[in-house]
Amino acid sequence: MYVQELEPVADSLGLSALVAALPLVIVLVLLGGVRMKAHLAGLTGLMAAALVAWLAYGMPLGQTVSSAAQGAAFGLFPILWIVVNALWVYRMTVRTRHFDILRRSFGRLSDDPRIQALVVAFCFGALLEALAGFGAPVAICSVMLVALGFDPVRAAVVALVANTAPVAFGAMGTPVVTLAQVTGLPLHDVASVVGRQTPLLALVVPLVLVFLVDGKRGLRETWVPALVCGLAFAVAQFAASNYVSAQLADIGAALAGAGALVAVPHARVPADESVRASVLTGARSEDLDETDPRGQVLRAYAPYALIVVIFSVAQIPAVKDWSAKVTRTYDWPFLNVVNPDGDPVGGNVFTWPIVSTGGTLVLLAGILTALVLGVHARVAVREWAATVHELRFAILTVTSVLALAYVMNLSGQAATIGHFVAAAGAGLAFLSPVLGWFGVAVSGSDTSANALFGALQVTAARESGLSPELLAAANSSGGVLGKMISPQNLTIACAAVGLAGREGDLLRKVLPWSLGLLLVMCLIVVGQSSPVLGWMLP
């Protein structure tokens, strides 16, 4: 049995926290300073965490390796199981050219570039974030906006800023699922609080987007559809995350936002030529004028409709009960850890939700998508293997970061840092979103930031008398605002629109919005930690 210690270094909490923070510092310096590739930085940080656990904390080497293996296993299933299958569905739509049909369908919804930005970057981007995440929405939406005639820089900036409100529930709720796993808090409790924070961003982001597209004129002329779109998105995200399913939150929000936008008469008014001339300064794709048969358009939308239907069916009580019965729970081998009070920690067991996990449901949707789109079984399998190959470095990054997080959490390193950080007292509520923002800005992933800092936030909250659910959620909600300035996302955006090497230009354009929205989120969390907005919490 391994008993966690909080002050293993010279019986000093400060020195112990300094040593415990070394793996995180190493990862952040290698990513942000040295610009090392993420998977190499993650592996280096993992090695550092294992050495600190073994040498400083006295965790047996076998248990250290076992805790890392469990983190890597959780990274593979359910996290990467979701991502691989979701991107597989997307690749099949590209191969069959149904994605081009979808793009043309969006272009015909409105000829106003400000409305097109809302449809493509905000609504469709949110749907892509819901299904895949990990940079896919920025890359795909940037390309679509350029095809519609947007200047490449403007297209990239709009796609980056739009990729905020849906991030916490992206990839079928992967960030909040990870947050619940590493903190030991119930998923519903964490998702409910996040669902009372990020929807407030959704009210603001569409207004920011029309301003980015057309300045004050865009805000003055299209604030109504932008506000209606954001409100519908916010309400749907709140309702789904609190009362339906965290995995469906972004899907429902994206569809609600798009539906509300299309329903607003103002959004269908033809744009003034002066607007189009000043905004659309790029080359418009000629294939936008092609006419697609209605049947092909319906097939282009089918993959996303299938995912919505399958996830909705999975929420039916009888189906949920059946899937719960086939869920397996195992005692994790060579791992026996208790906290300083002698209570066993959650890492001693491993839960395998074989059917109910999002990845399995997306896999089923992918199989049906292959049938609907007419993809031969051999081709579909080849596309799945190609997806795994495309994500090979992302797979290595996620598994190493999760292994690092599990070693830090189970050895007691995260608890030591959490107790030390708790000294910030009431100021912790303001700093909590900043920590998540910093983590995502460096790692490019809300999932990774939650894995790294989630347990730390909960420990600090309990020590300072604040709500653990609030600070855990704040880590994820603040993190979404670091996405637009992360080197990973900036590079993806530049590569997508042919601006290689101009990441600095994009950073200067999006940084003020990232910091401004982060300040708003910090004030929201401070308010929710006090009687001022405390009524918002469940």
Side-chain angles (χ1 to χ4, degrees):
M1 179 183 293
Y2 169 69
V3 182
Q4 296 175 339
E5 289 186 66
L6 295 179
E7 303 176 357
V9 181
D11 293 325
S12 167
L13 183 62
L15 288 175
S16 299
L18 190 63
V19 172
L22 278 176
L24 295 178
V25 172
I26 288 172
V27 171
L28 299 179
V29 169
L30 290 178
L31 282 173
V34 181
R35 298 294 180 92
M36 181 181 284
K37 292 187 180 299
H39 63 282
L40 296 177
L43 290 170
T44 305
L46 170 60
M47 187 173 296
L51 289 173
V52 170
W54 180 36
L55 299 176
Y57 278 75
M59 188 178 199
L61 185 59
Q63 298 214 42
T64 302
V65 173
S66 182
S67 60
Q70 186 181 12
F74 179 69
L76 289 172
F77 191 97
I79 294 177
L80 289 163
W81 182 235
I82 297 171
V83 176
V84 168
N85 290 324
L87 282 178
W88 173 53
V89 173
Y90 164 69
R91 284 180 65 101
M92 286 193 291
T93 66
V94 172
R95 183 181 181 90
T96 58
R97 298 192 178 279
H98 283 88
F99 183 76
D100 292 333
I101 296 172
L102 194 67
R103 175 168 56 83
R104 288 193 287 270
S105 175
F106 288 158
R108 284 190 287 269
L109 287 176
S110 172
D111 70 346
D112 189 326
R114 300 164 299 191
I115 303 301
Q116 289 175 340
L118 294 177
V119 172
V120 173
F122 188 70
C123 298
F124 187 60
L127 186 60
L128 290 173
E129 183 67 38
L131 301 179
F134 292 88
V138 170
I140 296 167
C141 292
S142 296
V143 171
M144 291 179 72
L145 290 174
V146 169
L148 291 169
F150 279 69
D151 170 73
V153 173
R154 183 176 287 164
V157 169
V158 168
L160 284 165
V161 174
N163 191 220
T164 48
V167 168
F169 295 103
M172 297 300 175
T174 295
V176 291
V177 169
T178 303
L179 187 60
Q181 180 75 15
V182 300
T183 58
L185 299 173
L187 173 60
H188 179 265
D189 293 354
V190 174
S192 295
V193 180
V194 175
R196 294 160 194 252
Q197 294 172 343
T198 55
L200 299 176
L201 291 177
L203 295 173
V204 179
V205 171
L207 297 170
V208 173
L209 294 180
V210 296
F211 178 81
L212 287 171
V213 172
D214 195 27
K216 294 180 181 178
R217 179 180 61 180
L219 197 57
R220 184 175 62 253
E221 295 181 359
T222 56
W223 69 269
V224 172
L227 189 60
V228 169
C229 175
L231 182 62
F233 185 101
V235 170
Q237 191 182 61
F238 161 75
S241 60
N242 277 265
Y243 305 111
V244 183
S245 164
Q247 287 88 346
L248 286 175
D250 277 350
I251 294 177
L255 296 176
L261 188 60
V262 172
V264 176
H266 189 83
R268 298 195 299 274
V269 176
D272 189 275
E273 279 305 316
S274 63
V275 173
R276 293 180 56 80
S278 63
V279 174
L280 300 180
T281 54
R284 183 174 180 273
S285 178
E286 293 180 1
D287 74 343
L288 289 173
D289 298 322
E290 292 183 19
T291 301
D292 299 302
R294 182 178 293 273
Q296 291 296 326
V297 174
L298 291 176
R299 291 173 74 186
Y301 282 92
Y304 309 103
L306 285 169
I307 289 173
V308 172
V309 170
I310 289 172
F311 271 80
S312 299
V313 169
Q315 301 306 311
I316 297 174
V319 178
K320 288 182 73 173
D321 291 343
W322 172 77
S323 63
K325 290 178 182 177
V326 297
T327 296
R328 297 289 180 262
T329 301
Y330 303 96
D331 289 326
W332 191 258
F334 311 113
L335 198 62
N336 185 12
V337 181
V338 296
N339 63 23
D341 296 326
D343 300 321
V345 301
N348 294 327
V349 297
F350 184 78
T351 302
W352 187 21
I354 303 172
V355 176
S356 60
T357 187
T360 302
L361 299 178
V362 176
L363 177 65
L364 176 58
I367 294 171
L368 295 177
T369 294
L371 295 174
V372 171
L373 300 185
V375 180
H376 191 278
R378 184 171 58 254
V379 175
V381 171
R382 248 196 330 261
E383 286 294 326
W384 193 91
T387 303
V388 174
H389 182 265
E390 179 185 334
L391 291 172
R392 61 192 183 282
F393 293 119
I395 290 171
L396 194 53
T397 300
V398 171
T399 51
S400 62
V401 168
L402 263 296
L404 160 66
Y406 267 61
V407 170
M408 290 191 65
N409 294 344
L410 291 174
S411 66
Q413 294 173 62
T416 297
I417 300 172
H419 279 74
F420 182 74
V421 171
L428 188 60
F430 185 88
L431 295 174
S432 185
V434 177
L435 189 60
W437 173 85
F438 183 70
V440 175
V442 173
S443 69
S445 165
D446 201 36
T447 298
S448 296
N450 286 344
L452 291 174
F453 300 132
L456 185 157
Q457 297 266 23
V458 167
T459 303
R462 286 174 175 150
E463 287 300 304
S464 59
L466 295 171
S467 164
E469 291 81 6
L470 174 62
L471 293 201
N475 191 82
S476 194
S477 298
V480 307
L481 300 169
K483 189 95 169 176
M484 69 179 84
I485 64 168
S486 71
Q488 173 184 308
N489 256 26
L490 290 171
T491 301
I492 288 172
C494 284
V497 298
L499 295 174
R502 294 185 59 184
E503 288 86 355
D505 294 341
L506 291 187
L507 177 61
R508 283 190 289 273
K509 289 182 178 295
V510 299
L511 182 59
W513 295 107
S514 178
L515 293 174
L517 292 171
L518 174 63
L519 177 60
V520 172
M521 181 54 65
C522 289
L523 295 176
I524 289 171
V525 175
V526 169
Q528 290 178 334
S529 70
S530 70
V532 177
L533 295 179
W535 52 269
M536 292 181 64
L537 299 181

